[in-house]
Amino acid sequence: MNLAVVILAAGEGTRMKSLLPKVLHKICGKPIISYVLKTVRELNPTKTIVVVGHQSDMVTKSLGEKVEVVVQENQLGTGHAVLAAEQSLNEHEGDILVLSGDSPLIRTRTLLKLIKLRGETGAAAVLTAKLKNPDGYGRIIRRGEEIIGIVEEKDATPDEIKIDEVNSGTYCFAGGELFGSLREATNDNEQGEYYLTDVIGILRSKGKKIVGILAEDESEILGINSRKQQAEADKIMRGRITDRLMDGGVTFIDPGLVFIEPDVVVGKDTIVYPLTFLEGETLIGEGCEIGPSAKLVDTTVGKNVKIQNSIIRESVIEDEANLGPFCSLRKGTRIGRGVKIGTFVEVKKSEIGANAKVPHLSYMGDAVVGENVNIGAGSITCNYDGVKKHKTVIEDDVFIGSDTMLVAPLRIHKGAMTGAGSTIAHDVPAGSLAIERSKQETIENYVKKKLKRSDESKDN
Ligand code: UD1
Ligand code: CA
C-alpha cells in the first residue's frame, strides 16, 4: 500500500482556553496527538506529514523522528493546512489519508476500511458518524450512497442543521484528486477560512464519486475542541483500556473508578480496587491485589503482591510483597520477595532484602537492607548531613530495635541487634548488640507527693 498520511495540528484550539497547544493536552496521561500517531504507525504509511503552526516548536518536539513536519505559518483553515503539505507530496501517487490531530479515538481498523472503500469506489471516502447531538460538526449531504457535500454548522441552513450524520474530519483521497480541487476552495464562508470540507463539493462538481462510511461506534470520531470534550475522550479511552485488561483476565471492582494509562500491563487474576492510578511504563504481574487508592508510576510489580493506599514511583517490587496501607516508595527502590512494608513507611533509593519487615513509621533512605531483617517501629536512617547523602547497610538477619536512629554512613553486620531508642553512629559487628541509652532515673512516690503539693496550694 502506497499511502501518505497528513495530520492537521496547526490550530491553536481557542476553545480550550489554554496556553498549551490543543494537540498537546493529554488524555490518559499522553498527548492527544500521540494517539493519532500511534494509530497511523500501524498503517505502515510510506510518509507521515504533520502540519504544525501555532506554537510549532513545542508541537514538533513532541512528535518524534519518524514524521515529516511542515509549517502552516498562518492558520487560515483546514484546507489551507493541507495545502501546506502539497510540496512534500508532489511525487506521491498513492492514496492520501487526512486526519485531525485533535481526534485521538479513531481506530486503525476503521482507517483500513476507509482506505479500502476509497480504492473500490471513487475519488474520495469520508469517515462519518450518526450522532444524537451533532452540534459543532460539519454535516454530511448525501444523495443515495454518494456524498455530495459537507457543510459546516456555521454555514448550514436550518434544514441542513437537522442532519445527524457528521463529518469526522478523516478522509482518504486518491492521490491525484486532492490538491487541484483544494486550490479552488475559497474562504467565502461564515468563518472566512479555507475549508478542507469544500473539496468534497468541488470534486462532486467535477463528476467525481465520493462515498462515506460510518465509524464502528460514534465515540471513535470525537474531536477535542473543549475541556469538556477532553474529559469525554479521556473517559472513553479509559474504558477501552480497562476493557482490554478485563479481556486479558484482570478484575476491576469498578472499571469506571480506575485510571490506567495505555502502556500499562497487568497480569491475569490481578484484582484492581477503586481509586487506583497505574501510570507510565508500569508492569504488574499475575495474582496481585492493587488498591484501593494506590498510585504506581513507572513501577514493575511481580506476582501475588498486595498494595494498599500507597504511592510508588520508579521502583521494583518482587513477588509476594505486601505494601501499605500508606507507604511511599520513591525512585530507585527495590523491594525483595515476601517483604512487608507497613503503615507510614517511606523508602527512597533503597534495597530491601527478601522477607525483611519494615512494618511501622520508618524511613529508609539510601539503604541496603538484607534478608530477614526486622526494622522496629519508628526507626529511620539519618542519611543526610545537610550537604551529602550517605549510605546505610544493614546485613542479613539484623534486628533493629524500635526508634533506632541509624546515622549514616553506617554498617550493621550480619545478625546484630540494636536496642530500642538508640542512636547508632558507629558500625556494629556481627552478632553483637549495640545500645545507646542514658541511665533511667526513677523517683519513687513522686506522683503522690506532687498531688499533695498541688492540693496545699489550692487551700491557700
Ligand atoms: C473540522 C471540520 C468539520 C468536522 C470536524 C471534526 C473543517 C472546515 N471542518 O471542524 O467538518 O466535523 O473537524 O472534528 O474542516 N487546523 C490546522 N490549520 C488550520 C485550522 C485547523 O492545522 O488553519 C487543524 C487543527 O489543529 C485541528 C484540525 O485541523 O487539529 C481541525 O480543526 P478544527 O478547528 O478543530 O476544526 P473543526 O471546527 O473541529
Ligand atoms: Ca476539531
Side-chain angles (χ1 to χ4, degrees), residues 8 10-11 22 72 75-78 102 137-138 152 167 195 225:
L8 306 185
K22 175 166 75 174
Q72 180 196 19
Q75 289 82 57
L76 305 181
T78 49
D102 69 352
Y137 290 92
E152 288 307 290
N167 172 26
Y195 291 162
N225 301 311

Side-chain angles (χ1 to χ4, degrees), residues 15 22 100 102-103 136-137 223-225 229:
R15 291 164 278 181
K22 175 166 75 174
S100 275
D102 69 352
S103 305
Y137 290 92
I224 298 174
N225 301 311
Q229 286 171 324

Side-chain angles (χ1 to χ4, degrees), residues 131 133-139 151-153 166-167 221-223 229:
L131 300 185
N133 174 12
D135 286 1
Y137 290 92
R139 307 297 204 273
V151 55
E152 288 307 290
E153 184 170 82
V166 303
N167 172 26
I221 70 129
L222 180 68
Q229 286 171 324

